[in-house]
């Protein structure tokens, strides 16, 4: 039974409204299970979608992302039958501008580069432009009320459809079982992220770096190319584990 979100329309009603508008919806494709379920729910209803992924680690000189992310994207593009467009995540700009995991010799270079620090709203504006979408195109995500009390409260307070920012959460009332059910119906396997991290890859803390170093050392080295001192996160975790043992 779907989650009831006080004062908000059901997912079925939201998707019906998006269908009635007869316009493309841009799906924020994080490569996670909820984003996949969001895309499938819209597709089943006949809503036209365009998929956009924000990567947390820059691509190499040939434009390739981390190898496991390339595999994730290739698998999903094949199953969903459409391209997943790639864009930098705001995290990259914030991390570099704040010298996250950067050695002293890089600081002056980063400061001289004067990287912008775009927020999500700015990036989605630019993504809409790049994809040839209208400025008021809805951006759909897989955020669900059942994920946490905080998310449920946010939906009650701010709404599941936010006209001011054009953000919408079409599967807001889905339970985890409903998410897995729609994914299974379409014969899609969850990306390897769930085996390694228990969720989609989206950060540089030990939850991601530890398994990445173990399972994909070449990808781990590429992370270190951009964030050389990220190895300290491994050291910190190991020291804390040793102290608590």
């Amino acid at each position: 039974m779907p989650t009831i979100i006080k004062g908000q329309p059901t997912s079925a009603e939201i998707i019906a409204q998006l269908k009635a508008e007869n316009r493309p919806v841009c799906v924020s494709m994080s490569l996670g299970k909820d984003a996949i379920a969001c895309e499938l729910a819209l597709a089943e209803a006949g809503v036209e979608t365009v998929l956009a992924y924000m990567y947390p680690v820059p691509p190499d000189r040939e434009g390739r992302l981390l190898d496991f992310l390339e595999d994730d994207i290739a698998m999903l593009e094949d199953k969903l039958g459409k391209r997943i467009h790639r864009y930098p995540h705001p995290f990259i700009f914030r991390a570099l501008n704040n010298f996250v995991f950067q050695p002293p010799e890089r600081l002056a270079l980063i400061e001289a580069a004067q990287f912008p620090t775009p927020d999500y709203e700015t990036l989605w504006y630019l993504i809409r432009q790049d994809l040839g979408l209208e400025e008021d195109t809805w951006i759909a995500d897989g955020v669900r009320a059942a994920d946490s009390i905080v998310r449920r409260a946010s939906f009650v307070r701010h709404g599941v459809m936010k006209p001011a920012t054009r953000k919408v959460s079409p599967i807001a009332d889905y339970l985890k079982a409903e998410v897995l059910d729609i994914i299974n119906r379409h014969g899609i396997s969850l990306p390897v992220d769930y085996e390694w991290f228990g969720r989609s890859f989206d950060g540089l803390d030990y939850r991601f770096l530890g398994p990445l170093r173990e399972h994909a050392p070449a990808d781990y080295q590429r992370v270190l190319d951009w964030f050389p001192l990220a190895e300290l996160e491994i050291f910190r975790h190991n020291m804390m584990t040793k102290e608590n043992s």
Side-chain angles (χ1 to χ4, degrees), residues 72-122:
D72 287 351
I73 292 171
M75 179 273 289
L76 288 173
E77 286 182 333
D78 178 63
K79 291 293 187 179
L80 299 174
K82 61 183 66 174
R83 180 181 174 189
I84 298 176
H85 302 269
R86 304 146 181 235
Y87 299 96
H89 196 286
F91 164 79
I92 295 175
F93 303 98
R94 291 198 307 268
L96 291 175
N97 285 330
N98 287 287
F99 309 133
V100 173
F101 292 137
Q102 299 300 322
E105 61 269 21
R106 286 194 178 185
L107 305 190
L109 181 62
I110 292 172
E111 196 165 68
Q114 292 290 296
F115 293 121
T117 309
D119 55 20
Y120 281 101
E121 186 174 349
T122 300

Side-chain angles (χ1 to χ4, degrees), residues 1-23:
M1 181 179 179
T3 304
I4 299 203
I5 307 171
K6 184 178 179 181
Q8 297 301 313
T10 66
S11 287
E13 291 169 337
I14 293 167
I15 293 172
Q17 179 174 331
L18 294 174
K19 170 66 175 175
E21 290 185 10
N22 196 30
R23 301 171 57 200

Side-chain angles (χ1 to χ4, degrees), residues 122-136:
T122 300
L123 275 177
W124 281 120
Y125 170 79
L126 295 172
I127 289 170
R128 288 184 182 97
Q129 282 195 325
D130 185 65
L131 295 175
L133 300 172
E134 296 181 12
E135 289 186 18
D136 63 346

Side-chain angles (χ1 to χ4, degrees), residues 194-213:
Y194 285 86
E195 178 184 340
W196 293 355
F197 319 121
R199 53 170 297 168
S200 56
F201 178 75
D202 71 351
L204 295 180
D205 57 77
Y206 182 80
R207 293 174 303 163
F208 304 105
L209 293 179
L212 192 64
R213 186 174 71 162

